[in-house]
Amino acid sequence: MAKARSRYVCTNCGTAIIRWEGRCPSCKEWDTLVEEVIDKTPSKALPSDRSTGKSPINLSDIISTQQSRVAIQNDPELTRVLGGGIVPGAITLIGGQPGIGKSTLMLQLACQLPNKVLYVSGEESAYQIKMRADRIAKKSDNCFILCETQLEQIIRHAEEQQPEMLLIDSIQTIQSIKVESPAGSVSQIRECTSELQQYAKSTDTPVFIIGHITKEGSLAGPKLLEHIVDVVLQFEGDRNYIYRILRTIKNRFGSTDEIGIYEMESYGLRPVSNPSELLISPGDEKLSGTSIASTLEGARPLLIETQALVSQSVFGHPQRSATGFDNRRLSMLLAVLEKKCNLFFSQHDVFLNLAGGIRVTDPAIDLSIVASLISSLHDIPIDKKICFAGEIGLSGEVRAVNRIEQRIIEADRLGFHQIFISKYHKKGIPKDLNIEIKMIGKLSELIELIFT
Ligand code: TYD
Ligand code: MG
């Protein structure tokens, strides 16, 4: 009899090797290799193409699924992120750190839909789920809860119940009897996901899978899961803040530029349709060191307040600290201000903060950060009806940024009086708006127009 063979699979990247090693040779992570027994049962020969009875179909004869997308009425954010609604037969993976609100989001979705939904939980008991449902004050007669971790049972129940949507919370707790390794291992996750995919495609049922994130931040450990599923969403945010961002990482049926914004309230997640209003502190009080940036998150314009504090340094070594913004970029902006505008920060501590715990990588935020820095240095407040969108170059020039039209329209819609942008924008400047567009080429012009 042949000896049962085993191999070692990396839980991080899915690489399989024959001998155990302390470090994965592929992703260089330590202590991620786990043993897996290789199934010795001979694989059945694949049926030939002739026996499947499938024949090519003309592309123009295929009925588009666009009409059959299910829009989620009370959740425009999720609808947008999915590219216009839930696609039948699509398999969606939702990843995020523990406690971010994945189960809450999925339960809300399950209760909002008028159709029959099967919510499978391997993490919580039915009673615990009921408690959460009570908390989010959602009542539904169409949501069925199944506390089960065995994949074959889940599929059997699903086939019996014939729900119009299947939710799995979470993939790491589900186990198939076909694979010997424990729940959460690479081969289990892979097997369970492909079984669920088979189910989704053969019954045209949309399936949502919750996946935990590894400590390195990659989704559900092995990258290979991302290849199997149709849509990958990431739920992120700082747990100390109430904002949550649902980001599309992959979408076979829509754009990956979309984001959804939620607020975690005591009664569940509330979709935020106008995030800019939340990210700008209310009141007309004039405070120095703050200004408003017109940034983009994905394809969505977002007006964010940037705050700077420039204070006399008590130690010989001045501090630089930025929250939500790259520290090195802050140093670069300070260097440009020193060199090109003769503003000296070397004797000052500089602190920078973006409202709402949001992290921005859009370079268009530079201009607003520079304005806040100068405002704090000189202690001159900037009018709250002014906003900024421009990237700063190393020689102090204000550079053009992408999608300027959207940024200006959003600022105008929110009632801003003036927007400062680069003079190098050749097109895309909307006309007939109430907002005054100030085009500048150099930082010195900004100082002249605002601080003198
Ligand atoms: P949960 O959905 O359990 O997170 P995940 O499934 O991603 O691990 O959400 C847990 C957090 O959300 C928890 O820390 C409490 C908070 N929360 C609220 O603030 N309000 C609510 O109505 C609910 C249901 C949870
Ligand atoms: Mg959960």
Side-chain angles (χ1 to χ4, degrees):
M1 201 180 84
K3 216 171 97 194
R5 281 203 306 129
S6 62
R7 59 180 187 170
Y8 296 87
V9 181
C10 171
T11 50
N12 186 48
C13 68
T15 305
I17 53 174
I18 297 169
R19 221 170 280 120
W20 187 85
E21 281 176 35
R23 191 182 194 190
C24 169
S26 173
C27 68
K28 308 280 183 244
E29 279 298 310
W30 289 97
D31 207 17
T32 52
L33 290 159
V34 288
E35 187 176 4
E36 252 182 38
V37 177
I38 301 171
D39 196 356
K40 292 300 286 180
T41 48
S43 57
K44 291 191 193 82
L46 287 171
S48 72
D49 282 351
R50 277 178 223 116
S51 65
T52 60
K54 288 188 178 156
S55 49
I57 315 169
N58 191 326
L59 185 62
S60 47
D61 292 342
I62 304 171
I63 303 153
S64 162
T65 58
Q66 195 64 38
Q67 289 84 18
S68 54
R69 274 184 194 251
V70 183
I72 313 144
Q73 273 191 346
N74 297 324
D75 197 341
E77 299 297 298
L78 188 59
T79 308
R80 183 214 318 264
V81 167
L82 291 172
I86 303 169
V87 177
I91 181 153
T92 307
L93 175 69
I94 297 201
Q97 284 175 340
I100 207 80
K102 301 180 293 296
S103 305
T104 311
L105 183 73
M106 284 297 104
L107 188 62
Q108 272 182 227
L109 171 67
C111 297
Q112 271 161 1
L113 287 183
N115 312 336
K116 186 171 175 181
V117 179
L118 183 61
Y119 185 111
V120 181
S121 179
E123 298 197 338
E124 287 152 303
S125 69
Y127 172 68
Q128 285 168 327
I129 297 169
K130 173 70 181 158
M131 262 170 45
R132 176 178 288 139
D134 285 344
R135 188 166 173 198
I136 59 179
K138 292 280 187 302
K139 285 196 177 56
S140 169
D141 297 330
N142 299 316
C143 181
F144 291 81
I145 307 290
L146 173 68
C147 295
E148 177 63 70
T149 55
Q150 210 208 52
L151 181 78
E152 285 71 21
Q153 292 294 336
I154 294 169
I155 305 261
R156 186 178 65 79
H157 280 291
E159 276 165 355
E160 248 172 52
Q161 296 273 332
Q162 298 188 338
E164 292 189 43
M165 191 166 84
L166 179 64
L167 302 173
I168 308 284
D169 185 2
S170 64
I171 191 73
Q172 273 92 352
T173 56
I174 309 293
Q175 211 170 1
S176 163
I177 42 170
K178 286 190 202 152
V179 181
E180 272 185 37
S181 31
S185 64
V186 178
S187 37
Q188 278 290 1
I189 291 180
R190 195 171 28 198
E191 173 66 25
C192 294
T193 313
S194 31
E195 284 285 324
L196 287 167
Q197 192 204 27
Q198 290 275 320
Y199 167 78
K201 300 286 177 241
S202 61
T203 58
D204 253 355
T205 315
V207 176
F208 282 79
I209 299 176
I210 293 180
H212 292 293
I213 231 165
T214 62
K215 59 181 186 300
E216 289 76 29
S218 67
L219 222 103
K223 273 269 175 217
L224 39 107
L225 202 56
E226 294 184 19
H227 298 296
I228 308 175
V229 301
D230 298 311
V231 183
V232 181
L233 304 178
Q234 188 149 320
F235 207 30
E236 46 188 68
D238 191 327
R239 271 205 277 166
N240 299 321
Y241 290 95
I242 51 174
Y243 309 109
R244 301 282 183 270
I245 295 181
L246 190 63
R247 219 180 273 281
T248 331
I249 293 181
K250 164 182 174 178
N251 193 351
R252 283 187 181 148
F253 320 108
S255 152
T256 50
D257 273 346
E258 296 295 354
I259 60 157
I261 298 180
Y262 292 87
E263 212 178 340
M264 181 60 101
E265 309 255 3
S266 55
Y267 52 84
L269 287 157
R270 186 177 72 84
V272 177
S273 47
N274 198 356
S276 302
E277 281 175 8
L278 287 165
L279 297 170
I280 299 170
S281 58
D284 291 328
E285 220 175 320
K286 285 197 166 180
L287 299 168
S288 69
T290 66
S291 71
I292 294 166
S294 173
T295 66
L296 280 180
E297 265 292 348
R300 202 164 168 192
L302 211 61
L303 282 111
I304 297 181
E305 190 171 286
T306 63
Q307 291 187 316
L309 177 67
V310 179
S311 67
Q312 199 74 40
S313 172
V314 271
F315 305 110
H317 191 71
Q319 293 187 59
R320 267 100 185 84
S321 159
T323 316
F325 187 71
D326 185 19
N327 243 328
R328 276 171 304 176
R329 190 139 187 108
L330 172 63
S331 304
M332 177 232 127
L333 294 176
L334 291 171
V336 171
L337 284 172
E338 292 214 8
K339 184 88 180 166
K340 300 290 168 188
C341 309
N342 288 330
L343 294 168
F344 295 99
F345 291 88
S346 51
Q347 299 299 316
H348 292 88
D349 291 338
V350 176
F351 303 96
L352 189 75
N353 189 23
L354 303 188
I358 282 194
R359 233 199 123 68
V360 177
T361 47
D362 179 10
I365 198 171
D366 287 356
L367 195 56
S368 162
I369 286 178
V370 165
S372 296
L373 288 169
I374 305 172
S375 159
S376 181
L377 181 73
H378 292 328
D379 205 12
I380 303 173
I382 299 172
D383 192 337
K384 287 202 108 174
K385 290 290 170 201
I386 301 179
C387 66
F388 304 86
E391 181 183 348
I392 308 288
L394 288 180
S395 42
E397 80 275 22
V398 180
R399 306 170 75 164
V401 291
N402 62 350
R403 299 185 195 235
I404 193 70
E405 186 174 3
Q406 269 173 285
R407 298 177 199 258
I408 298 173
I409 292 172
E410 177 76 356
D412 181 61
R413 196 176 66 80
L414 291 171
F416 282 87
H417 296 164
Q418 265 184 3
I419 181 165
F420 281 77
I421 61 166
S422 163
K423 73 171 183 189
Y424 301 108
H425 284 288
K426 293 279 175 279
K427 51 182 193 276
I429 308 291
K431 296 196 174 64
D432 306 325
L433 295 178
N434 292 328
I435 194 163
E436 185 187 351
I437 301 167
K438 293 262 189 200
M439 298 179 93
I440 53 172
K442 279 191 297 217
L443 270 183
S444 50
E445 292 169 48
L446 174 82
I447 297 171
E448 219 166 275
L449 287 168
I450 294 194
F451 301 102
T452 47

